[in-house]
Amino acid sequence: MIEVFITNITKVYQVKNVIERISKNFLGLQIDYDLDETGLVFPCGHTVLRIEGNKIESELITILVNQLGFECKIMPDTICL
């Protein structure tokens, strides 16, 4: 299973901290990120967290990232202009 989240994380050290926290709380997940800021306002300007694993607790991951001070939601199937 793969889930893709968008966030407003802008710095490498921040995303590494978020990945570390997710990894500690949700074992067995593979996490990758892309800090491809577009200069647009969130959610169109965003960081991508890609999570792969047998069981992904999307809602709990979103809550954890929010508690760390960042916006986070499942990437919608839309096109931003």
Side-chain angles (χ1 to χ4, degrees), residues 2-81:
I2 297 173
E3 190 69 81
V4 180
F5 299 85
I6 57 173
T7 77
N8 64 341
I9 300 169
T10 60
K11 308 284 186 224
V12 172
Y13 76 89
Q14 294 170 323
V15 78
K16 287 183 178 182
N17 181 51
V18 168
I19 289 172
E20 182 179 316
R21 294 289 299 272
I22 293 171
S23 295
K24 285 182 180 179
N25 286 281
F26 305 95
L27 302 176
L29 298 178
Q30 293 180 333
I31 305 168
D32 192 20
Y33 67 94
D34 182 5
L35 290 178
D36 187 22
E37 288 295 314
T38 64
L40 301 174
V41 178
F42 180 85
C44 291
H46 58 266
T47 302
V48 173
L49 279 176
R50 181 182 173 276
I51 300 178
E52 185 174 347
N54 290 330
K55 181 178 180 186
I56 301 172
E57 299 184 58
S58 301
E59 186 174 328
L60 295 177
I61 290 170
T62 300
I63 291 168
L64 174 63
V65 175
N66 291 158
Q67 288 174 341
L68 294 172
F70 301 103
E71 300 209 35
C72 179
K73 62 183 181 179
I74 294 173
M75 179 179 268
D77 293 329
T78 59
I79 298 173
C80 293
L81 302 174

